[in-house]
Every structure is written in structure tokens, then in C-alpha cells.
């Protein structure tokens, strides 16, 4: 293992995030606050409790997931896209680091950053609503697994994208709709059929449901299923990343 | 001397179908400065990129300092430093950060004293906290060199190191390259400046259309292929070359005051004595004589155009 190499990539990426920390944090904090003002306070006061949880508190896990997903994807995709775009990737490719070490450095840094942002979002939420965390350990498990999985996913997007537009298109066209329709703002039991069944094909449902369970012990789908699905996504993304390096896809000509 | 890099049957077809390298065989000796000369698109960068792991070869093998560049890439790459042709740097990083990053990336423990030494050598020490985008092009080039040297490689690739570098800095770089060689670093450089190869290299390889068309000691190459020109200055000008002298294929210049005779240095019989005698017999008085050697540039152009 080239630990110095992993460390170099990790710190390099963290330093890059650090330089832009204010922007990185300002935007999720601001958007979370807006969601709370609009959905939690203004609209939420007119809504009944869902599964015995006040609407303001109910949306918190979904909102944190929302910023976790989008931050993981954008950090990781940009982290690898940029050196590819600027050409500095040559150095990583010519260094004695294995694909696994490269992924560890880049994805590790992206996941760390989105976990920090997830936690900051949670703290921001606290300013608006009271909430409890019934299962802090499982909350962390979901937080960590989701950050890693979607950072891997973002990493793949960053490798696949050959222009800035492609970099934006998947988060914008696929991830955002899936998160909004994944039960961030409602319990899927509130949906009429066939939407309720269709929703079960949305992977984000399992993430949000599991995450919400760790807060309030209520869930749309069973916690075991949520956890298995989360692992399944992780394994899928790992396999995809492995394939990319095995074939040299879009990294080497 | 033993080979530090052996390239066997290396070929590369890009995904576009373009054949950039055709069965390259080449050995670089330990401790030498090898200059790879070739026109644009000859395949120089492709060759270097394959050895460094940036481009995947389509076939063939490369052994660098005893390690196969694919199956034992860790060992091979840790011994190689690369200064790429393009100036690609992280604009927002400081010089110090980017050079220490490189050292870590190549698996070396931190060594501030060593980094300080190379930065001083490259006159970058006072810029160590400057962001790279604040540097001039020549300074950026030196930052790239510092990055390539950060992990103390034994093999250094310089892909057109002096493109866009002023004369003074070029001299400095040449000195630095020689110093590196004295410390035992093997250097492969590509260049368009024949002058550079002529000045620096121990051996020269010429690549064209993905094929190595020649590898030779610089001195041998210069003498083997070199043509010399004898310039004969006359006391009085002539309007045309007398028929008796036609067999020498002389060229008239300087308004008829000069005759140029070119001859092959390899030929034992160069015909100069006979020419001088013949000049005398047609009553042309010689004022002065001197000779000039053809440069590597002319050799190169004639090779590539063959
Ligand atoms: N990624 C690529 N895909 C397809 N063709 C490529 C690729 N990279 C290089 N080539 C082609 O391969 C040939 C060799 O390119 P290379 O960069 O090795 O030349 P070079 O000798 O370094 O030239 P120069 O002196 O201009 O730097 C060129 O014709 C180039 O167009
Ligand atoms: Mg080139």
C-alpha cells in the first residue's frame, strides 16, 4: 500500500475543499434554512403529524439525505473531473498508486466533506425544529454508507463526463427528481396506487426511509431492507469503479 | 554500459485507429542523456506516456530499471520522473504544496530539506509560497521539473523541456540536466531544438511516423552523416564555373567571389587536393579557404525527408 500517496491525494482534496469551505457550507446551510422556513414553519404548521412526528421534524432526515446525495456527487465528480479537464491527472496516472488507492484518496475526501456538510445541515435544522435521534449508531451508519456510495457514484460521473454539461446532467436530471420523489417531504404511504408501488423502484426511498428510522423509529420500508439496499448500492458502485479502472475507461488512451 | 530502459516491440494504436508507434525497439543506457528527435506527431510524447503509465500500450514490453512497467508498475514508476510537454499545473496551489504533494503521491515520506534543495536549485525558493497561477511560464516549467524530481527518481523524462523558455533559462536547464546526469540520473529528453540535442545528448534517436529510424552516438552521427563544406574565396570574381571544374559540383556565391565545395567526411578521398590543383590550372587565384560542418539540423532534415 502506498499510504503516502493516499494521504497526498486525500489532503490535496481536503485542502481544495477547505479553500472553498465557506461556499461549500453556505449553500447547504442556506437551502436547508429555506426549506425549513417554507416547509417546516410556513406550510408545516398547517400540516398534521406524520407517523406521530411533527412535519418540521419529519422532513429533517430527508433534507439531510438530499444534501448528502448532492454534495457527495458534486464533490466527487468535480474532484476527478477537474484534473482530467486541466490535465494534471497525468501525475496521478504516472504515480505508483493503485486504482484502489486513487479511489481511497478521492472518494474518501469527497465522502468526508459531504459527511461534514450533512452534520452541519443537521445542526442548522436544530435552529428551527426540535428533533431526536433514537438510534445514533445507525444514523451514522447510514450517513457514512450513503456518503461513500454516492461519492463513488460521483467519481464515476466525473470520469465519464467529458464536459461541464455532462457533469451536471445526471445530478440534475436523475438524482434531484429521485430525491424529491423519494419521500423526503412525505411518507410514501400517503401516495395513492400505483405510485406507491412504483416508488419502491426508487433507490432513494430506501436511504431516506432507513435514515428516518434512525431518527424517529418510523419507516416506510423495513430497516433491514433499507440497510440491504444501501449495501447493494455500495457494492454496485464499487463494481462500477473497479470496472472503470480495469478497462482504463476514459482515463487512459 | 547496461540498459536501464529496454523497449521491445512496443506499439500503439489509438482508439481512433491511428497507429502512433510501430514496433519500437530501443535501449536507453544507465546514466546517459538520450535525446529523442522527431517532427510534430512523430510519436515522442506517446512513447514517453506509455513508459510513464499515462497511455496503455497496444503491445510490446518496457522494462525500466529491472521492473516491467505493467506487471511491476509500482517499482518502475517510483523510479521515474516526468516533466510533460504541456504546462499543466494546479493554478490555485502554492509551489511548496504542489511539490510536496508530488513527493507524497510517489510514496516518499516527507523530506522538507530535500524539497528546499531542489526549489533552491531551480531558483524557486523565494516563490515557494506563491500560487502557481502567479508565476510566469518559465517558472511554471521549473515547478514541473521540481515536481518530477520530488521523489528522487533515477530516470527522468523531459518532454520538450525548453519549449517557450528564454535563452538564459535554457542554459540553466542544460546545466541542471548535466548535474543530474553527474548524480547518476538517466535522462531522456525530446526536443525540436537540434541545438539542444547537439549540446546535451550522449546519444540521439530519431523518430518519424512512429518508427525509430536511427539511434547513434552523437559524435558518430555527426561524423558519419556530416557533410563538410569547403568555402573557397577568390581574389577575383568569376561569372560562371569553368567547364574543367564541373565535376566538383561547385556552387557559386558572394557575387562570384566564393566557390562552395561540399564533400563527405566519411570518404577517404575527398578531392580537395585535386580541386585546388584544378583551380590553379584554370587560373583562379585563391584568397582564403575555410570549411564548415553541417549541423545536426541538416542531418535531421535530410533523414526525415528520405
Ligand atoms: N489520444 C489520442 N488519440 C488519437 N491520436 C492521438 C492521441 N494522442 C496522440 N495522437 C496522435 O499520435 C501521433 C503522435 O503524437 P505524439 O503526441 O506522440 O507526437 P509527438 O512526437 O510528441 O509530437 P510533438 O512534437 O508535436 O509533441 C499524432 O499523430 C497524434 O495526432
Ligand atoms: Mg509531444
Amino acid at each position: 500500500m502506498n499510504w503516502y500517496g493516499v494521504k497526498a491525494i486525500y489532503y490535496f482534496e481536503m485542502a481544495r475543499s477547505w479553500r472553498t469551505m465557506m461556499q461549500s457550507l453556505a449553500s447547504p446551510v442556506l437551502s436547508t434554512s429555506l426549506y425549513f422556513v417554507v416547509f417546516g414553519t410556513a406550510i408545516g404548521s398547517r400540516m398534521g403529524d406524520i407517523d406521530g412526528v411533527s412535519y418540521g421534524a419529519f422532513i429533517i432526515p430527508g433534507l439531510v439525505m438530499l444534501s448528502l446525495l448532492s454534495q457527495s456527487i458534486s464533490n466527487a465528480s468535480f474532484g476527478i473531473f477537474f484534473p482530467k479537464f486541466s490535465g494534471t491527472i497525468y501525475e496521478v496516472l504516472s504515480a505508483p498508486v493503485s486504482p484502489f488507492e486513487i479511489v481511497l484518496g478521492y472518494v474518501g475526501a469527497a465522502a468526508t466533506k459531504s459527511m461534514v456538510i450533512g452534520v452541519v445541515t443537521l445542526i442548522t435544522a436544530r435552529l428551527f425544529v426540535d428533533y431526536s435521534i433514537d438510534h445514533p449508531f445507525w444514523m451514522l451508519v447510514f450517513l457514512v454508507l450513503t456518503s461513500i456510495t454516492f461519492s463513488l457514484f460521483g467519481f464515476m460521473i466525473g470520469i465519464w463526463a467529458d464536459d461541464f454539461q455532462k457533469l451536471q446532467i445526471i445530478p440534475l436530471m436523475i438524482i434531484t427528481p429521485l430525491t424529491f420523489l423519494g419521500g423526503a417531504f412525505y411518507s410514501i404511504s400517503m401516495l395513492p396506487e400505483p405510485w406507491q408501488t412504483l416508488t419502491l423502484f426508487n433507490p432513494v426511498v430506501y436511504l431516506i426511509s432507513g435514515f428516518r428510522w434512525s431518527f424517529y423509529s418510523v419507516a416506510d420500508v423495513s430497516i433491514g431492507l433499507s440497510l440491504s439496499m444501501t449495501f447493494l448500492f455500495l457494492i454496485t458502485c464499487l463494481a462500477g469503479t473497479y470496472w472503470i479502472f480495469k478497462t482504463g475507461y476514459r482515463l487512459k488512451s | 554500459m547496461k540498459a536501464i530502459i529496454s523497449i521491445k516491440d512496443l506499439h500503439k494504436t489509438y482508439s481512433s485507429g491511428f497507429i502512433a508507434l510501430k514496433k519500437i525497439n530501443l535501449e536507453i543506457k544507465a546514466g546517459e542523456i538520450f535525446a529523442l528527435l522527431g517532427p510534430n506527431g512523430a510519436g515522442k510524447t506517446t512513447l514517453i506516456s506509455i513508459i510513464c503509465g499515462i497511455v496503455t500500450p497496444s503491445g510490446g514490453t518496457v522494462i525500466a530499471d529491472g521492473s516491467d512497467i505493467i506487471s511491476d508498475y509500482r517499482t518502475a514508476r517510483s523510479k521515474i520522473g516526468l516533466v510533460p510537454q504541456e504546462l499543466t499545473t494546479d493554478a490555485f496551489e502554492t509551489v511548496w504544496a504542489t511539490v510536496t504533494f508530488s513527493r507524497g503521491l510517489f510514496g516518499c515520506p516527507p523530506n522538507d530539506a530535500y524539497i528546499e534543495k531542489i526549489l533552491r536549485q531551480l531558483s524557486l525558493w523565494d516563490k515557494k509560497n506563491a500560487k502557481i497561477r502567479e508565476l510566469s511560464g518559465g517558472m511554471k516549467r521549473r515547478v514541473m521539473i521540481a515536481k518530477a524530481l520530488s521523489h528522487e527518481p533515477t530516470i527522468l523524462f523531459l518532454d520538450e523541456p525548453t519549449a517557450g523558455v528564454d535563452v538564459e533559462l535554457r542554459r540553466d536547464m542544460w546545466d541542471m540536466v548535466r548535474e543530474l546526469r553527474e548524480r547518476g540520473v538517466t535522462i531522456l529528453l525530446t526536443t525540436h531544438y537540434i541545438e539542444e540535442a547537439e549540446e546535451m545528448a550522449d546519444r540521439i534517436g530519431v523518430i518519424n511516423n512512429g518508427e525509430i529510424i536511427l539511434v547513434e552516438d552523437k559524435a558518430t552521427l555527426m561524423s558519419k552523416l556530416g557533410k563538410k563544406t569547403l568555402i573557397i574565396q577568390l581574389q577575383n570574381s568569376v561569372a560562371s564555373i569553368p567547364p574543367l571544374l564541373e565535376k566538383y559540383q561547385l556552387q557559386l556565391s558572394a557575387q562570384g567571389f566564393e566557390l562552395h565545395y561540399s564533400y563527405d567526411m566519411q570518404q577517404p578521398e575527398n578531392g580537395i587536393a585535386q580541386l585546388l590543383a584544378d583551380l590553379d590550372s584554370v587560373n583562379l587565384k585563391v584568397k582564403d579557404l575555410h570549411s564548415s560542418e553541417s549541423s545536426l539540423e541538416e542531418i535531421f532534415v535530410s533523414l526525415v525527408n528520405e
Side-chain angles (χ1 to χ4, degrees), chain A residues 1-2 4-6 8-9 12 15-16 19 82 86-88 90-99 101 251-253, chain B residues 12 14 52-56 73-74 77-78 82 84 88-90 92-93 101-102 104-110 144 147:
Chain A
M1 258 321 253
N2 177 358
Y4 288 115
V6 176
I9 296 176
F12 177 90
R16 188 173 63 79
R19 277 197 301 272
F82 193 71
S86 71
T88 51
Y90 86 87
E91 200 177 13
V92 175
L93 293 178
S94 67
V97 285
S98 67
E101 289 153 0
L251 270 178
K252 296 188 184 187
S253 38
Chain B
K12 174 65 187 176
Y14 279 111
C52 293
I54 299 164
V55 169
T56 21
Y73 70 94
R74 271 189 207 272
R77 290 185 198 171
S78 63
L82 165 68
T88 47
T89 48
D90 291 294
F92 301 102
E93 293 293 316
F101 167 77
S102 302
L105 190 63
F106 278 75
C108 299
M144 307 285 285
K147 280 164 80 70

Side-chain angles (χ1 to χ4, degrees), chain B residues 45 85 159-160:
Chain B
T45 302
Q85 183 172 6
D159 201 353
E160 291 181 39

